[in-house]
Amino acid sequence: MDIKSQNFFSIINTIRNDNRFHLIKFNNQAYIFDGVSYNFHSIDSDMEELINVEKDEILLEKIIDLSENQTFEVSMLNLSSFLSNKYEKSKYVPNSDIAFLNLNVGSKCNLDCIYCFRKKNVNEKSNIIVIKNAIDFLILQNPNAKYYSIALDLSSEVFLEHDIIREILDYIFTKECYLLNKEDILNVSALDFYNLLPSQLKVKKCNNDDEAIHEINNIIQRTGLLDILDIASMKKEKPYLFQQTKIVQFLPLWKLVRLNHWGLEAVYPDYLKHRDEKSFSLWFMSNGTRINEEDIKLIKGLEIDLFTISLDGPEIIHNKLRPYLDGRGSYQDVLKSIRLLQNNNIGIKISLVLTNMNPYPFDLVQFLLSLNVYQVKMTLIRNSKDLEFTKDSVRILLQNYELLYNELKKGLYNKNFKLFKFLEDDISLKPLHSLLDNTLSLKRCSWGEQIIVDAYGDIYPCTYTCGNREFSQGNIKNQDYKSSLDKRLFVDYRKNCKKCWAGYLCGGTCYFTTYIKKNIVYDCNEIECIVNKYFCEQCIQLFLIIKHKKIDKEQLFK
């Protein structure tokens, strides 16, 4: 064998054996996909045939036969150039500007969902003392964060505990405080600034700076301040403030004070120092069984962009999976809540769990579109042996997903992107986001990066591990706690992921489901792996169409 044939053999072998590269066939065109750089290289049918040869001796014979073909030689040189491209993998750097707290401190729920991970023999109210201590702990552990995101998560139904929500809102006000002090006022005294304000804002005459600061802080706790300041006239300069005037009556006090403070800054920029304090948000979802008008006001005030409701499909399926404690179906009540939210112009995202009872994502999406909800986020069942997918049942799931992907492809050709927006946050499009943003999924999720607290103040890496002492990372009373990222969670270290061409597109399988199946989080869940690889293959095809049609991401998801 001559040197040239040897070199060609080495190039083909690299593609056959290096998990970085993967052969993709779409629309009668073959491509080599680089799973690190996300680059593509088109190849002809001769090259495709060589890559698919299994035995080395046969491959060598074919290469020798083609080696004197000038077109083949040029193709090999181009391929060699593609393979030799150096690409540095980005390092994983958590966003230190945002700190997350996940509160799973209650277990009060009116449903008996058959796949729920919470302890169903316990029905305890959330402990506000634990919640306040957890918020303090979040701030202490992340002193440099600019944004604190607090979530009331999956262990209870939030709307069964209105008093707890109110207490959380009041406590956040004490932590995010945009009330003024003397140092915030520039160029004039506090009393002079107070006298500058419109007369309709003033309730009493002030005689000194202390009285003036006190009255100004009373003023910025009122709902009508922005109207009196005529923020509407600043619509172009301050669009955010203008938009907020429409919901100001719903805002919790901490958000109202922040907004009014910014309003005063906008109108009096020469007299007020700009304050960009640490800001908070509160997020939660609902099982949707008992939403009322008071809840509507709360949702509007918290500015939850799309409010998430759990719905597992049509009535028969949903009622089997998510019955009330007494066995009654909950579907009709959820439907009433959806209508109430829609009548109040609140966008809805549906959270849906895919099980072997409802392995039909395409059909489920069509059903949800008929309800006029904004988006859906479907997830595979995590912790139920009776409902989990097997190698046989997952075939049905993927066959139905194929219908969904075909519909997405049709939308690209017809320039109808409605389905992309509907599935924007769904697992089926996760690899597409990575390709469009050119970002590597170095790990599956934020496992171990958030502070997730249970009813006893114990800290866990994942909501689903709450209560399992094996995963406890300490307690909020322990001021020495430090979150740490275990390198074994990353694609480069997980047993099967590091050998897989799709590793950086999917980020690996769920740590919790892997633990359930194998009693270890660092391995892979084979069934989820099958699904994720399928998603990656399909999203690559979507990506190729998008590039061919010159469609940008903003068009897809606007």
Side-chain angles (χ1 to χ4, degrees):
M1 179 172 59
D2 59 26
I3 294 176
K4 184 166 66 173
S5 296
Q6 271 187 328
N7 288 338
F8 290 168
F9 179 80
S10 176
I11 291 168
I12 298 297
N13 245 358
T14 298
I15 295 170
R16 292 164 76 211
N17 300 322
D18 190 336
N19 65 295
R20 174 176 172 173
F21 302 105
H22 182 64
L23 179 65
I24 298 285
K25 186 76 178 284
F26 181 59
N27 281 356
N28 297 318
Q29 174 62 58
Y31 301 87
I32 303 299
F33 171 67
D34 182 345
V36 176
S37 69
Y38 292 168
N39 289 327
F40 293 84
H41 180 75
S42 59
I43 58 174
D44 60 25
S45 56
D46 286 338
M47 194 75 72
E48 180 188 358
E49 182 183 347
L50 292 178
I51 293 169
N52 285 320
V53 172
E54 293 183 4
K55 293 184 178 180
D56 286 354
E57 56 269 25
I58 297 176
L59 172 62
L60 195 52
E61 287 177 12
K62 289 182 175 290
I63 287 174
I64 292 170
D65 289 342
L66 289 165
S67 61
E68 298 306 317
N69 182 309
Q70 191 172 2
T71 302
F72 176 71
E73 185 172 351
V74 171
S75 296
M76 288 302 298
L77 291 173
N78 289 337
L79 181 56
S80 177
S81 176
F82 172 75
L83 298 182
S84 63
N85 285 336
K86 300 294 182 184
Y87 188 86
E88 289 293 323
K89 287 183 287 187
S90 56
K91 293 182 179 179
Y92 187 82
V93 182
N95 187 347
S96 59
D97 288 340
I98 305 176
F100 294 94
L101 173 64
N102 224 306
L103 295 165
N104 288 272
V105 297
S107 55
K108 198 173 179 65
C109 191
N110 57 343
L111 293 187
D112 186 22
C113 304
I114 61 178
Y115 52 71
C116 185
F117 72 95
R118 72 183 179 89
K119 295 178 181 178
K120 295 188 179 182
N121 59 335
V122 180
N123 201 12
E124 293 179 348
K125 184 177 178 178
S126 297
N127 186 326
I128 190 60
I129 295 174
V130 172
I131 290 173
K132 289 179 178 180
N133 289 339
I135 293 172
D136 291 343
F137 185 81
L138 173 72
I139 298 169
L140 182 69
Q141 291 296 317
N142 301 275
N144 298 319
K146 296 177 181 177
Y147 184 78
Y148 296 103
S149 176
I150 302 171
L152 302 174
D153 219 339
L154 306 173
S155 60
S156 63
E157 169 52 32
V158 170
F159 289 129
L160 294 176
E161 298 191 303
H162 288 88
D163 55 333
I164 292 294
I165 297 175
R166 284 192 290 272
E167 289 196 64
I168 294 174
L169 298 180
D170 290 343
Y171 196 65
I172 290 175
F173 175 67
T174 69
K175 299 299 175 182
E176 182 202 298
C177 194
Y178 274 76
L179 295 175
L180 270 76
N181 54 54
K182 292 178 185 178
E183 290 71 32
D184 290 320
I185 298 173
L186 305 172
N187 301 322
V188 295
S189 67
L191 181 59
D192 289 338
F193 179 71
Y194 177 70
N195 290 330
L196 286 171
L197 299 176
S199 57
Q200 58 265 54
L201 289 176
K202 301 169 189 172
V203 175
K204 60 178 281 191
K205 178 178 169 62
C206 294
N207 299 306
N208 54 55
D209 286 349
D210 289 336
E211 287 182 7
I213 286 292
H214 183 268
E215 281 306 303
I216 293 169
N217 282 330
N218 284 338
I219 288 169
I220 64 174
Q221 296 180 57
R222 298 179 197 162
T223 56
L225 174 61
L226 295 186
D227 289 331
I228 294 172
L229 292 177
D230 194 20
I231 292 297
S233 66
M234 305 179 73
K235 181 177 179 180
K236 289 184 178 178
E237 298 89 343
K238 303 289 180 181
Y240 172 75
L241 289 176
F242 175 73
Q243 285 297 117
Q244 294 297 95
T245 60
K246 300 175 183 179
I247 61 165
V248 71
Q249 71 270 30
F250 301 115
L251 294 176
L253 186 58
W254 104 78
K255 281 176 170 278
L256 176 64
V257 169
R258 184 205 304 166
L259 180 66
N260 283 342
H261 188 121
W262 288 343
L264 285 173
E265 284 183 9
V267 177
Y268 301 101
D270 295 333
Y271 300 106
L272 281 182
K273 185 190 298 182
H274 175 63
R275 286 267 293 275
D276 194 9
E277 300 285 337
K278 300 174 187 299
S279 58
F280 287 75
S281 71
L282 181 66
W283 180 93
F284 51 81
M285 58 185 288
S286 173
N287 63 28
T289 56
R290 47 178 296 147
I291 295 176
N292 57 37
E293 293 291 348
E294 282 302 306
D295 302 328
I296 294 293
K297 293 177 183 177
L298 178 64
I299 294 167
K300 285 186 175 182
L302 290 174
E303 302 175 274
I304 300 174
D305 289 339
L306 292 177
F307 189 70
T308 303
I309 296 285
S310 293
L311 182 68
D312 280 350
E315 188 165 8
I316 293 175
I317 295 295
H318 177 89
N319 286 343
K320 284 181 180 178
L321 295 172
R322 303 181 63 83
Y324 280 111
L325 293 170
D326 61 8
R328 290 179 299 117
S330 61
Y331 176 84
Q332 288 299 330
D333 289 330
V334 175
L335 208 57
K336 287 178 188 175
S337 292
I338 288 174
R339 297 300 178 222
L340 179 61
L341 289 163
Q342 290 172 330
N343 290 339
N344 283 276
N345 299 313
I346 295 174
I348 299 166
K349 178 189 288 186
I350 295 298
S351 174
L352 186 149
V353 178
L354 292 167
T355 70
N356 58 25
M357 285 178 62
N358 59 341
Y360 308 108
F362 175 77
D363 301 335
L364 290 165
V365 164
Q366 298 307 308
F367 163 71
L368 293 174
L369 285 169
S370 73
L371 297 182
N372 293 316
V373 297
Y374 274 63
Q375 285 186 354
V376 63
K377 185 173 185 176
M378 297 180 283
T379 54
L380 298 182
I381 184 71
R382 282 189 171 96
N383 58 329
S384 172
K385 289 185 178 179
D386 294 333
L387 297 171
E388 69 182 13
F389 289 97
T390 62
K391 287 185 178 179
D392 289 329
S393 60
V394 82
R395 290 195 191 98
I396 300 171
L397 177 76
L398 298 186
Q399 285 168 2
N400 206 254
Y401 258 120
E402 185 173 3
L403 299 176
L404 188 58
Y405 280 111
N406 286 342
E407 200 68 20
L408 286 163
K409 291 167 190 172
K410 191 188 301 182
L412 290 175
Y413 287 117
N414 297 331
K415 295 188 177 180
N416 180 353
F417 309 133
K418 179 181 178 181
L419 200 52
F420 282 89
K421 182 63 180 174
F422 193 71
L423 295 168
E424 182 177 8
D425 198 30
D426 189 67
I427 53 172
S428 59
L429 291 188
K430 180 186 172 186
L432 179 61
H433 286 290
S434 294
L435 288 164
L436 291 170
D437 297 334
N438 197 27
T439 55
L440 304 182
S441 297
L442 300 180
K443 64 192 288 276
R444 168 64 167 73
C445 64
S446 58
W447 174 289
E449 296 174 49
Q450 301 183 10
I451 295 174
I452 299 173
V453 178
D454 73 0
Y456 307 101
D458 291 326
I459 304 167
Y460 293 90
C462 167
T463 296
Y464 286 89
T465 61
C466 279
N468 186 333
R469 300 292 301 168
E470 180 181 345
F471 291 100
S472 176
Q473 296 175 304
N475 190 281
I476 55 176
K477 294 177 183 177
N478 176 13
Q479 301 302 320
D480 295 328
Y481 162 84
K482 295 286 184 186
S483 63
S484 61
L485 283 177
D486 188 334
K487 70 178 184 180
R488 291 175 294 176
L489 297 170
F490 288 79
V491 167
D492 285 337
Y493 294 91
R494 295 183 80 180
K495 184 178 178 181
N496 293 329
C497 296
K498 63 184 179 182
K499 303 174 185 176
C500 178
W501 67 269
Y504 297 122
L505 268 184
C506 90
T509 62
C510 172
Y511 306 114
F512 177 74
T513 53
T514 304
Y515 171 79
I516 291 294
K517 299 293 288 183
K518 298 187 174 182
N519 208 35
I520 184 171
V521 300
Y522 308 114
D523 208 327
C524 286
N525 178 344
E526 284 84 355
I527 298 300
E528 188 183 350
C529 187
I530 292 169
V531 175
N532 286 354
K533 278 185 182 176
Y534 177 78
F535 289 164
C536 290
E537 292 269 8
Q538 291 294 326
C539 283
I540 285 173
Q541 294 183 17
L542 293 174
F543 181 75
L544 289 169
I545 299 172
I546 290 166
K547 290 302 173 184
H548 177 69
K549 293 287 184 180
K550 297 180 180 178
I551 302 166
D552 32 78
K553 188 173 181 179
E554 286 186 8
Q555 289 177 272
L556 286 179
F557 298 111
K558 70 178 180 181

